Amino acid sequence: KGRVLDWEEFCAAVFARFDKDQYQLLLRQLDTLRQIDSVTSYLHQFENLSHGILLYNSAYDDTYFVTRFLGGLKEEIHSAIALHRPSDVLTASSFALMQETELEVVRTHGVQKEFSRPFSKHSGSSDKQK
């Protein structure tokens, strides 16, 4: 309504009209984000939310985002990566992608035969003679 002659006033009016509660909404969405499909899909959603949050508040650091990223991963991926203590989301996502690939190989091909064979003793071993 009416004319806006001041840039600051114009920006405030735009934010009041189109940006209501977006920051809080982004924080809630990031807090509840969980990996459902692939790591790639989860990472894409995570990056969109985290970049949006940083537009509102640049004070968040890598520790916060890495902790949130790890917390949303599937447990089978999270537990293997948390041991490495990644320092940023890029490193954590690289580990997550590698772990996802390894899990897929195991699911597709099963465990390697040499790992699944039981240990057997030979009855005529030279250790008995010693």
Side-chain angles (χ1 to χ4, degrees):
K1 297 180 183 179
R3 295 182 194 202
V4 177
L5 301 175
D6 180 57
W7 178 254
E8 306 284 328
E9 189 180 337
F10 175 73
C11 288
V14 169
F15 278 117
R17 174 70 172 99
F18 298 107
D19 198 39
K20 289 187 177 195
D21 303 321
Q22 284 299 310
Y23 180 46
Q24 291 83 2
L25 177 64
L26 291 170
L27 287 170
R28 282 193 301 273
Q29 287 176 337
L30 186 66
D31 191 45
T32 59
L33 182 64
R34 299 289 179 263
Q35 179 191 357
I36 296 170
D37 296 321
S38 68
V39 170
T40 303
S41 174
Y42 172 68
L43 176 61
H44 180 71
Q45 293 171 330
F46 186 89
E47 286 179 333
N48 283 341
L49 292 171
S50 60
H51 290 298
I53 288 168
L54 287 171
L55 289 175
Y56 289 97
N57 185 349
S58 61
Y60 286 99
D61 63 0
D62 285 338
T63 301
Y64 171 77
F65 287 116
V66 169
T67 303
R68 280 299 315 125
F69 181 78
L70 293 176
L73 287 169
K74 291 179 181 177
E75 184 59 35
E76 60 192 2
I77 295 175
H78 169 266
S79 57
I81 293 167
L83 296 172
H84 294 283
R85 295 181 160 198
S87 59
D88 54 48
V89 174
L90 180 61
T91 304
S93 64
S94 295
F95 286 148
L97 290 165
M98 287 188 291
Q99 180 66 15
E100 181 180 57
T101 301
E102 287 300 314
L103 289 171
E104 194 58 39
V105 167
V106 169
R107 284 187 193 117
T108 304
H109 301 294
V111 179
Q112 296 290 332
K113 288 189 176 188
E114 54 268 10
F115 294 118
S116 62
R117 274 189 274 164
F119 178 74
S120 62
K121 291 184 179 180
H122 298 298
S123 57
S125 102
S126 61
D127 289 339
K128 286 186 176 182
Q129 296 173 354
K130 291 183 181 177

